mmCIF file of all heavy atoms in Angstrom:
data_model
loop_
_atom_site.group_PDB
_atom_site.id
_atom_site.type_symbol
_atom_site.label_atom_id
_atom_site.label_comp_id
_atom_site.label_asym_id
_atom_site.label_seq_id
_atom_site.Cartn_x
_atom_site.Cartn_y
_atom_site.Cartn_z
ATOM 1 N N PRO B 1160 1.840 -34.261 -66.394
ATOM 2 C CA PRO B 1160 1.442 -33.125 -65.553
ATOM 3 C C PRO B 1160 -0.072 -33.089 -65.344
ATOM 4 O O PRO B 1160 -0.836 -33.431 -66.243
ATOM 5 C CB PRO B 1160 1.906 -31.908 -66.362
ATOM 6 C CG PRO B 1160 2.987 -32.425 -67.264
ATOM 7 C CD PRO B 1160 2.583 -33.814 -67.600
ATOM 8 N N GLU B 1161 -0.484 -32.678 -64.139
ATOM 9 C CA GLU B 1161 -1.900 -32.535 -63.803
ATOM 10 C C GLU B 1161 -2.199 -31.064 -63.518
ATOM 11 O O GLU B 1161 -1.486 -30.418 -62.745
ATOM 12 C CB GLU B 1161 -2.244 -33.369 -62.573
ATOM 13 C CG GLU B 1161 -2.167 -34.868 -62.791
ATOM 14 C CD GLU B 1161 -2.558 -35.630 -61.536
ATOM 15 O OE1 GLU B 1161 -1.866 -35.467 -60.517
ATOM 16 O OE2 GLU B 1161 -3.548 -36.371 -61.589
ATOM 17 N N PHE B 1162 -3.271 -30.586 -64.126
ATOM 18 C CA PHE B 1162 -3.665 -29.192 -64.003
ATOM 19 C C PHE B 1162 -4.033 -28.827 -62.574
ATOM 20 O O PHE B 1162 -4.707 -29.594 -61.881
ATOM 21 C CB PHE B 1162 -4.867 -28.937 -64.916
ATOM 22 C CG PHE B 1162 -5.533 -27.610 -64.722
ATOM 23 C CD1 PHE B 1162 -4.982 -26.462 -65.256
ATOM 24 C CD2 PHE B 1162 -6.704 -27.512 -63.999
ATOM 25 C CE1 PHE B 1162 -5.601 -25.237 -65.081
ATOM 26 C CE2 PHE B 1162 -7.328 -26.296 -63.815
ATOM 27 C CZ PHE B 1162 -6.776 -25.152 -64.351
ATOM 28 N N LEU B 1163 -3.579 -27.651 -62.147
ATOM 29 C CA LEU B 1163 -3.955 -27.132 -60.827
ATOM 30 C C LEU B 1163 -4.844 -25.890 -60.948
ATOM 31 O O LEU B 1163 -5.961 -25.863 -60.445
ATOM 32 C CB LEU B 1163 -2.705 -26.785 -60.007
ATOM 33 C CG LEU B 1163 -1.790 -27.942 -59.612
ATOM 34 C CD1 LEU B 1163 -0.563 -27.408 -58.893
ATOM 35 C CD2 LEU B 1163 -2.531 -28.951 -58.748
ATOM 36 N N ILE B 1164 -4.338 -24.845 -61.635
ATOM 37 C CA ILE B 1164 -5.039 -23.570 -61.675
ATOM 38 C C ILE B 1164 -4.602 -22.774 -62.895
ATOM 39 O O ILE B 1164 -3.476 -22.938 -63.380
ATOM 40 C CB ILE B 1164 -4.791 -22.772 -60.374
ATOM 41 C CG1 ILE B 1164 -5.641 -21.503 -60.314
ATOM 42 C CG2 ILE B 1164 -3.311 -22.441 -60.215
ATOM 43 C CD1 ILE B 1164 -5.627 -20.825 -58.931
ATOM 44 N N TYR B 1165 -5.512 -21.938 -63.400
ATOM 45 C CA TYR B 1165 -5.274 -21.119 -64.589
ATOM 46 C C TYR B 1165 -5.669 -19.684 -64.273
ATOM 47 O O TYR B 1165 -6.779 -19.427 -63.803
ATOM 48 C CB TYR B 1165 -6.079 -21.717 -65.745
ATOM 49 C CG TYR B 1165 -6.493 -20.794 -66.877
ATOM 50 C CD1 TYR B 1165 -5.587 -19.966 -67.512
ATOM 51 C CD2 TYR B 1165 -7.811 -20.789 -67.332
ATOM 52 C CE1 TYR B 1165 -5.979 -19.145 -68.563
ATOM 53 C CE2 TYR B 1165 -8.214 -19.986 -68.382
ATOM 54 C CZ TYR B 1165 -7.300 -19.162 -68.998
ATOM 55 O OH TYR B 1165 -7.690 -18.361 -70.044
ATOM 56 N N PHE B 1166 -4.744 -18.744 -64.537
ATOM 57 C CA PHE B 1166 -5.002 -17.315 -64.383
ATOM 58 C C PHE B 1166 -5.118 -16.667 -65.755
ATOM 59 O O PHE B 1166 -4.313 -16.907 -66.644
ATOM 60 C CB PHE B 1166 -3.842 -16.633 -63.646
ATOM 61 C CG PHE B 1166 -3.766 -16.936 -62.181
ATOM 62 C CD1 PHE B 1166 -3.018 -18.006 -61.717
ATOM 63 C CD2 PHE B 1166 -4.444 -16.157 -61.260
ATOM 64 C CE1 PHE B 1166 -2.945 -18.287 -60.364
ATOM 65 C CE2 PHE B 1166 -4.380 -16.417 -59.903
ATOM 66 C CZ PHE B 1166 -3.621 -17.487 -59.457
ATOM 67 N N GLN B 1167 -6.119 -15.797 -65.878
ATOM 68 C CA GLN B 1167 -6.195 -14.898 -67.026
ATOM 69 C C GLN B 1167 -6.043 -13.503 -66.434
ATOM 70 O O GLN B 1167 -6.951 -13.014 -65.759
ATOM 71 C CB GLN B 1167 -7.515 -15.058 -67.772
ATOM 72 C CG GLN B 1167 -7.595 -14.250 -69.045
ATOM 73 C CD GLN B 1167 -6.571 -14.674 -70.074
ATOM 74 O OE1 GLN B 1167 -5.519 -14.047 -70.251
ATOM 75 N NE2 GLN B 1167 -6.867 -15.759 -70.767
ATOM 76 N N GLY B 1168 -4.887 -12.871 -66.663
ATOM 77 C CA GLY B 1168 -4.600 -11.624 -65.969
ATOM 78 C C GLY B 1168 -4.382 -11.878 -64.486
ATOM 79 O O GLY B 1168 -3.656 -12.777 -64.093
ATOM 80 N N THR B 1169 -5.052 -11.103 -63.657
ATOM 81 C CA THR B 1169 -4.880 -11.229 -62.208
ATOM 82 C C THR B 1169 -5.821 -12.239 -61.577
ATOM 83 O O THR B 1169 -5.593 -12.685 -60.444
ATOM 84 C CB THR B 1169 -5.108 -9.874 -61.519
ATOM 85 O OG1 THR B 1169 -6.443 -9.446 -61.805
ATOM 86 C CG2 THR B 1169 -4.133 -8.824 -62.033
ATOM 87 N N GLY B 1170 -6.863 -12.620 -62.296
ATOM 88 C CA GLY B 1170 -7.880 -13.471 -61.699
ATOM 89 C C GLY B 1170 -7.740 -14.936 -62.053
ATOM 90 O O GLY B 1170 -7.310 -15.285 -63.152
ATOM 91 N N ALA B 1171 -8.138 -15.794 -61.115
ATOM 92 C CA ALA B 1171 -8.122 -17.233 -61.354
ATOM 93 C C ALA B 1171 -9.356 -17.600 -62.174
ATOM 94 O O ALA B 1171 -10.479 -17.542 -61.671
ATOM 95 C CB ALA B 1171 -8.105 -17.994 -60.033
ATOM 96 N N ALA B 1172 -9.129 -17.979 -63.447
ATOM 97 C CA ALA B 1172 -10.240 -18.324 -64.325
ATOM 98 C C ALA B 1172 -10.735 -19.743 -64.082
ATOM 99 O O ALA B 1172 -11.887 -20.069 -64.377
ATOM 100 C CB ALA B 1172 -9.820 -18.154 -65.779
ATOM 101 N N ASP B 1173 -9.855 -20.596 -63.570
ATOM 102 C CA ASP B 1173 -10.223 -21.991 -63.319
ATOM 103 C C ASP B 1173 -9.282 -22.532 -62.247
ATOM 104 O O ASP B 1173 -8.090 -22.633 -62.486
ATOM 105 C CB ASP B 1173 -10.093 -22.805 -64.615
ATOM 106 C CG ASP B 1173 -10.529 -24.256 -64.475
ATOM 107 O OD1 ASP B 1173 -10.708 -24.749 -63.333
ATOM 108 O OD2 ASP B 1173 -10.695 -24.932 -65.511
ATOM 109 N N ASP B 1174 -9.821 -22.829 -61.062
ATOM 110 C CA ASP B 1174 -8.999 -23.404 -59.991
ATOM 111 C C ASP B 1174 -9.467 -24.809 -59.636
ATOM 112 O O ASP B 1174 -9.228 -25.285 -58.520
ATOM 113 C CB ASP B 1174 -8.962 -22.499 -58.767
ATOM 114 C CG ASP B 1174 -10.335 -22.360 -58.118
ATOM 115 O OD1 ASP B 1174 -11.322 -22.924 -58.645
ATOM 116 O OD2 ASP B 1174 -10.427 -21.682 -57.075
#
Side-chain angles (χ1 to χ4, degrees):
Chain B
E1161 292 181 298
F1162 170 78
L1163 295 176
I1164 187 169
Y1165 154 50
F1166 287 91
Q1167 186 63 260
T1169 60
D1173 183 347
D1174 65 357

